[in-house]
């Protein structure tokens, strides 16, 4: 469960789509059952899917309304299902070296995806995984409007020590502190980003599977999305909770055990 819910509500700024280097640019679900997970997210978030291929085999593309590619999905057995965020960099190999030098790990060494880009799967020093990515296309792909159905909104790091985590990400990507919210006994919730905040960091003492990044997706209606989660085998963990601007956020888990969150209006 999100232990920082009240802080998220207070700290959430305008949700902006990823648009620059050192920012999130793609999101990927690693799961144990792509067929079931694909059906679930199509029904809950409203994405459509398109089959493709990647370095690890078959790859599913998630598309927001307007046929806009927003994320992907691949099947891997023997691991905890979950979402990975891709962070755009100008040199994957150099940044992978920086991750290791700063105490992180490289789980998959830099490699090319033909006609797509170059990537490396890494983890910060506390174990939260993410992907370094350089797009080989000359024109950035279109992104859905902020908070529109199927769009990608907010990232939230559940860390064992948010201050050390911030030092790592600030040193690596130049992220800056934005709003700092005092959560009392729960400590501090720190929003971070570049010119604008696009993520939050906090120390979560309840991490049975270790630190991780949680991602928020836009839906066309929070109440109906909650019912779709329940009807399709998922679980609501927290919410709905109102955030500035009148939108509501919900923390949930998909049927395979992957954590995700969604946001939108009620009614």
């Amino acid at each position: 469960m999100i232990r920082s819910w009240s802080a998220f509500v207070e700290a959430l700024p305008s949700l902006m789509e990823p648009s620059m280097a050192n920012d999130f640019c793609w999101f990927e679900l690693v799961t144990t059952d792509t067929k079931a997970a694909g059906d679930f997210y199509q029904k809950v978030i409203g994405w459509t899917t398109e089959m493709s291929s990647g370095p690890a085999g078959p790859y599913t593309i998630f598309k927001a309304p307007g046929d806009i590619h927003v994320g992907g999905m691949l099947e891997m057995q023997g691991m905890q299902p979950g979402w990975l965020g891709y962070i755009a960099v100008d040199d994957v190999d150099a940044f992978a070296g920086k991750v290791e030098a700063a105490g992180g790990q490289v789980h998959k060494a830099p490699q090319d995806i033909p006609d797509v880009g170059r990537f490396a799967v890494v983890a910060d020093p506390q174990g939260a995984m993410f992907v370094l990515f350089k797009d080989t296309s000359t024109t950035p792909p279109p992104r859905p409007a902020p908070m529109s159905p199927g769009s990608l909104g907010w990232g939230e790091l559940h860390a064992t020590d948010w201050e050390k985590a911030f030092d790592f990400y600030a040193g690596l990507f130049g992220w800056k502190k934005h709003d700092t919210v005092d959560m009392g006994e729960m400590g501090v919730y720190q929003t971070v980003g570049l010119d604008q905040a696009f993520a939050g960091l906090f120390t979560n003492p309840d991490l049975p599977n270790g630190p991780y990044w949680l991602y928020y997706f836009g839906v066309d209606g929070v109440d109906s999305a909650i019912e779709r989660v329940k009807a399709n085998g998922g679980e609501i963990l927290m919410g709905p909770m109102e955030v500035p601007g009148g939108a509501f956020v919900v923390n949930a888990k998909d049927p395979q055990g992957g954590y995700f969150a969604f946001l939108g209006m009620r009614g």
Side-chain angles (χ1 to χ4, degrees):
M1 295 177 66
I2 294 181
R3 299 293 296 275
S4 63
W5 202 262
S6 61
F8 175 83
V9 171
E10 294 179 28
L12 185 65
S14 299
L15 294 175
M16 302 296 292
E17 74 246 38
S19 60
M20 62 188 75
N22 299 344
D23 193 352
F24 291 105
C25 62
W26 185 256
F27 297 80
E28 182 175 273
L29 176 64
V30 180
T31 185
T32 53
D33 189 336
T34 52
K35 175 61 170 65
D39 290 344
F40 175 82
Y41 283 100
Q42 286 184 76
K43 293 172 180 175
V44 172
I45 304 298
W47 291 322
T48 56
T49 60
E50 176 183 305
M51 289 306 301
S52 183
S53 61
Y59 193 81
T60 303
I61 302 293
F62 286 121
K63 299 188 294 183
D67 205 38
I68 300 175
H69 293 196
V70 293
M73 174 176 61
L74 63 103
E75 186 168 311
M76 294 185 70
Q77 302 299 326
M79 66 177 296
Q80 174 65 31
W83 286 89
L84 286 171
Y86 280 49
I87 298 176
V89 297
D90 57 9
D91 187 328
V92 170
D93 298 71
F95 271 85
K98 292 177 182 179
V99 167
E100 287 190 307
Q105 287 186 284
V106 175
H107 289 279
K108 184 177 287 294
Q111 67 181 89
D112 292 325
I113 307 172
D115 302 318
V116 175
R118 189 166 178 81
F119 79 103
V121 181
V122 301
D124 67 28
Q126 297 174 45
M129 296 177 65
F130 60 97
V131 180
L132 301 168
F133 181 70
K134 179 176 175 57
D135 192 345
T136 56
S137 66
T138 56
T139 303
R143 309 302 297 174
M147 289 186 63
S148 63
S151 63
L152 310 167
W154 184 257
E156 184 174 86
L157 178 63
H158 293 230
T160 54
D161 186 325
W162 79 262
E163 291 179 287
K164 290 182 179 179
F166 172 76
D167 290 341
F168 170 81
Y169 288 99
L172 191 63
F173 299 120
W175 290 0
K176 304 171 186 177
K177 292 180 180 178
H178 286 259
D179 294 328
T180 303
V181 181
D182 185 353
M183 301 188 295
E185 294 182 358
M186 293 174 60
V188 166
Y189 190 91
Q190 179 65 58
T191 68
V192 300
L194 297 168
D195 292 337
Q196 291 190 322
F198 50 69
L201 317 177
F202 79 106
T203 298
N204 186 344
D206 183 18
L207 295 168
N209 296 312
Y212 67 97
W213 279 95
L214 178 72
Y215 302 103
Y216 290 72
F217 307 115
V219 295
D220 60 357
V222 165
D223 295 300
S224 58
I226 288 172
E227 294 308 311
R228 294 195 297 270
V229 168
K230 296 176 180 178
N232 290 283
E235 181 181 354
I236 300 299
L237 302 177
M238 186 74 74
M241 182 69 69
E242 189 172 7
V243 297
F248 288 77
V249 290
V250 176
N251 179 214
K253 183 166 66 172
D254 68 32
Q256 288 71 47
Y259 293 103
F260 72 105
F262 55 90
L263 69 159
M265 307 303 290
R266 301 193 70 175

